[in-house]
Amino acid sequence: MRTPEMQAFLDHLENTLTPEYIPPKVFGGHDFTHVKQLISLAKNRIYRVVFFNMDEFEAAAWLHNLDRAAGFQNRISIEGLGSVCRLLLENSPFGNEICERIVKAVCEHSKKDDEPGDSSLLVALRIADKIDRFSPSGILAIAAHSGMSYAAYDPKHPFGYTSTEEGKLRSTYNNFFRVLEWYGMLPSDQARALIHTQDLWLFVSFLRRFGEEISRHTGVSCTVEEDIQKALGDHYNQLPTTVRNPSN
């Protein structure tokens, strides 16, 4: 049961950071609704595959996109993300060891792969951050975030996506496949099963229709299914039949 002291601190953290997580202070997909969705996922789904402390998770969720918020970027560039997080946790009921676990989870949640020794908090945060994109709001978030930086697709070379490293994306089409690759990066089949089948179907079906539209406009042969297979790797053949079959 959460103590009144802990609830008061988490409420304070939410009230402090929500104004900083409202567009245009952050790109779409990194706003306060994303944070609240991670917390909802943790309460309703993530707990099935990872044991973690919900108080710690909630604090980490509010801090995990701090470096995306315009109001903190200059400060973080000078002091470092970890130091700014520690200051925001300074008057919390968490002990020093727990604060360091939260800070580590925040600083490492975007790394490519899980590693031995990762805390259950970090694993849970990484799972939630990934599966939140496999949803209707996730599709909107990808488009909103990319739309400020990239064209929808490359008219000359729309298919056969190249690098999905965030700093090397060349189109919103690429960015969708960056996220689709996360499906295979989830740490277990149990974690992948947390994505609702209908949401996964919607995500993959959107990409198929997007590819068909691009093909019509550019006259380039549509090879979106090959791109989907490339992004999913061995997991492609393990998808539910309704998701794997392009005719559905």
Side-chain angles (χ1 to χ4, degrees), residues 179-192:
V179 172
L180 190 59
E181 288 178 347
W182 293 354
Y183 184 83
M185 292 180 189
L186 287 164
S188 65
D189 289 339
Q190 291 78 14
R192 280 181 278 277

Side-chain angles (χ1 to χ4, degrees), residues 44 64 67 73 131 139 150 152 172 185 194 197 221 239 242:
N44 296 303
H64 88 287
D67 57 344
Q73 286 176 350
I131 70 173
I139 292 173
Y150 316 109
T172 297
M185 292 180 189
L194 297 177
T197 300
S221 179
L239 294 175
T242 54

Side-chain angles (χ1 to χ4, degrees), residues 11-38:
D11 287 345
H12 169 72
L13 197 60
E14 177 176 353
N15 293 334
T16 299
L17 295 180
T18 295
E20 304 300 327
Y21 285 148
I22 296 175
K25 292 184 178 181
V26 290
F27 279 130
H30 299 95
D31 60 14
F32 71 97
T33 61
H34 172 57
V35 175
K36 295 181 83 66
Q37 286 173 196
L38 296 197

Side-chain angles (χ1 to χ4, degrees), residues 12 22 31 40 49 55-56 59 61 64 89 103 121 127 134 151 157 209 234 238 241:
H12 169 72
I22 296 175
D31 60 14
S40 173
V49 298
D55 295 340
E56 296 177 31
H64 88 287
L89 292 168
V103 171
L121 172 63
I127 292 173
F134 292 92
H157 305 285
R209 294 294 295 164
D234 293 340
Q238 300 168 12
T241 302

Side-chain angles (χ1 to χ4, degrees), residues 153-161 170 173-174 214 218 220 227:
Y153 56 89
D154 180 347
K156 294 183 178 179
H157 305 285
F159 302 110
Y161 73 90
R170 58 183 172 83
Y173 181 87
N174 281 66
I214 292 169
T218 62
V220 176
D227 286 344

Side-chain angles (χ1 to χ4, degrees), residues 57-198:
F57 185 96
E58 193 162 327
W62 279 108
L63 295 170
H64 88 287
N65 276 161
L66 205 63
D67 57 344
R68 304 275 190 170
F72 281 92
Q73 286 176 350
N74 185 58
R75 185 174 167 188
I76 287 171
S77 69
I78 296 170
E79 301 175 30
L81 177 59
S83 295
V84 175
C85 287
R86 289 184 188 95
L87 285 172
L88 288 167
L89 292 168
E90 197 169 39
N91 296 317
S92 75
F94 299 118
N96 289 337
E97 182 179 346
I98 296 175
C99 283
E100 286 306 307
R101 182 160 60 239
I102 293 170
V103 171
K104 186 176 176 65
V106 171
C107 292
E108 297 188 3
H109 82 276
S110 61
K111 66 181 181 178
K112 184 176 182 293
D113 299 305
D114 291 307
E115 297 175 311
D118 285 348
S119 69
S120 59
L121 172 63
L122 173 54
V123 173
L125 183 62
R126 283 167 54 78
I127 292 173
D129 204 28
K130 285 180 173 65
I131 70 173
D132 187 45
R133 298 304 187 212
F134 292 92
S135 63
S137 64
I139 292 173
L140 290 174
I142 296 165
H145 180 266
S146 291
M148 298 297 293
S149 304
Y150 316 109
Y153 56 89
D154 180 347
K156 294 183 178 179
H157 305 285
F159 302 110
Y161 73 90
T162 53
S163 174
T164 53
E165 186 178 340
E166 187 170 10
K168 297 180 181 179
L169 296 171
R170 58 183 172 83
S171 71
T172 297
Y173 181 87
N174 281 66
N175 203 6
F176 274 105
F177 284 94
R178 177 173 185 268
V179 172
L180 190 59
E181 288 178 347
W182 293 354
Y183 184 83
M185 292 180 189
L186 287 164
S188 65
D189 289 339
Q190 291 78 14
R192 280 181 278 277
L194 297 177
I195 302 172
H196 291 310
T197 300
Q198 286 183 320

